[in-house]
Amino acid sequence: MTLYIADERPDIVSQFTMAHLVVKRLEGQGELLDCGYRLFQRVFDSSVLDPKSVYDDRMSDAAFQARDFYPCFTIAYFCHGSDKIVAGFLSADLMWLLNDPKRSILALGNIATAPILKSDLCRKNGLRGVGSMLLNRATQDAKSVCQEDDRELAYLLSEAEPASLGFWKKAGFRWPQGCSYLQPPLEFDAQGTPLYLEVPETLLLAPQATTSDFIEPSLVENILRTLFENWCLRGWRDTLSPEAIRRAEHYVMDKVLAQIVSTMPLSPLPLIEELPQAARTDA
C-alpha cells in the first residue's frame, strides 16, 4: 500500500465522487497519521502546528488509556487499488474539564482538506463537504466516548484562523462576545522559554448540551485552562525540568490566559453568530 495526498495524484482524484470517500477515526500511529500530518504541513504555518512527535504521542497506546484526554483524530481518503489517496485530516481531543469532570469539551486542533479539492474539476464532480464529514465523525466519536463514561459533551471548541471562519460559522460555531483570544505557544526550549509568541485567533464554541445563548465567564476560563494544560503543557511535563515547566506554566497560565480573562466582562458572554471583524484582520 502506498499513501498519497490528493494533490500528489490529480489524475486519480478527478475520477472520484463523494460516494468513494472513506471517513474513519484513526486508532493509532502509522502511515495514515504520517500522511495526514504531511497534509497539515502543506496547509498550516509552523507557529500554529505542533511538531510531529506531539501527534505521535497523542496517538500512542497510553493516550487511548488516559480517560481525561482522549484523541478523536479522523481521516478521509479514497481507495485506488491498494493505494489510499488522502483527501482530508482532522485532529481533535476530548478533554474532561479540570474543575468539572462530568462535563467535557471536544477541542478541534487542525482540520485540512487537500487543496486540489477546491479546483473547478473537483467541484464539478461534487467533491465538497469533506471538512464537514470529518467534523461530524469526530463529534460522533466523542459523544460515544462520553456516553460510555457517563459524561456530558458540553461544547465543541475551535481556535479559528481568519480563512476558516466561514466554515466554522456554517458548522454552528459561535463567538463568546467580548473574549479576545490568543493561542499560547506550543513549544518551549530546555529553559521553558517559548519558541513562538502567542497568536491572535478567534475562539469559537458550539454548544452540544444546552440551548442557552450565553456562557458564564468562569466556564470560559475553565475551558481555556483545561485546553492550555492539555495542549500547551501536558506533553512537556515529563521532558522539562521542574524549574523549566514552572516557567512555561507561568507564561501560559499567568500571562496568556490572564490576558484573555482580563478582556472578558463579568456578566455572561453572549454566544453570537456574527464573528468579530478584528480577528479577520489581526489574526
Side-chain angles (χ1 to χ4, degrees), residues 20-250:
H20 300 104
L21 190 70
V22 177
V23 181
K24 63 176 291 184
R25 183 177 61 127
L26 288 187
E27 299 179 350
Q29 301 169 354
E31 292 180 326
L32 279 174
L33 176 61
D34 296 343
C35 194
Y37 187 79
R38 284 202 296 114
L39 176 58
F40 279 176
Q41 288 178 306
R42 289 189 173 208
V43 174
F44 297 108
D45 184 86
S46 60
S47 65
V48 295
L49 183 64
D50 282 315
K52 177 60 163 49
S53 59
V54 173
Y55 289 81
D56 288 333
D57 288 343
R58 288 183 187 171
M59 295 302 293
S60 66
D61 292 340
F64 285 95
Q65 297 168 6
R67 303 304 296 177
D68 64 325
F69 181 72
Y70 192 83
C72 292
F73 285 31
T74 310
I75 196 159
Y77 59 83
F78 301 106
C79 293
H80 181 72
S82 62
D83 297 336
K84 288 183 171 62
I85 315 297
V86 173
F89 185 49
L90 176 149
S91 65
D93 296 297
L94 182 64
M95 307 176 185
W96 310 144
L97 292 182
L98 291 175
N99 299 311
D100 189 1
K102 277 297 181 181
R103 288 200 285 184
S104 64
I105 58 170
L106 179 65
L108 286 305
N110 295 98
I111 180 170
T113 56
I116 194 175
L117 298 185
K118 298 179 181 178
S119 68
D120 291 341
L121 180 58
C122 286
R123 290 185 177 275
K124 183 178 179 180
N125 289 350
L127 291 178
R128 56 197 312 165
V130 174
S132 297
M133 294 180 70
L134 290 167
L135 176 60
N136 291 339
R137 176 58 193 265
T139 303
Q140 292 171 9
D141 291 339
K143 288 181 176 179
S144 295
V145 174
C146 287
Q147 186 174 14
E148 291 173 4
D149 283 358
D150 191 26
R151 288 179 169 87
E152 173 185 276
L153 179 59
Y155 292 92
L156 310 184
L157 177 150
S158 173
E159 302 169 305
E161 297 183 345
S164 67
L165 289 173
F167 170 82
W168 295 115
K169 181 176 180 179
K170 184 178 179 181
F173 284 71
R174 292 181 281 172
W175 176 50
Q177 188 177 28
C179 178
S180 296
Y181 184 72
L182 299 167
Q183 185 197 75
L186 303 173
E187 297 182 67
F188 303 88
D189 64 18
Q191 287 71 47
T193 303
L195 298 183
Y196 299 98
L197 296 176
E198 52 273 24
V199 179
E201 292 186 339
T202 302
L203 177 69
L204 299 178
L205 299 171
Q208 300 296 296
T210 179
T211 58
S212 175
D213 292 328
F214 294 85
I215 184 170
E216 293 291 337
S218 59
L219 178 53
V220 176
E221 181 177 358
N222 191 28
I223 287 173
L224 295 184
R225 189 173 296 278
T226 301
L227 181 73
F228 293 175
E229 169 60 33
N230 284 306
W231 273 359
C232 303
L233 299 172
R234 185 183 186 120
W236 295 98
R237 292 194 179 279
D238 294 332
T239 58
L240 293 179
S241 68
E243 181 179 353
I245 194 62
R246 282 195 297 269
R247 186 176 293 110
E249 185 175 24
H250 174 76

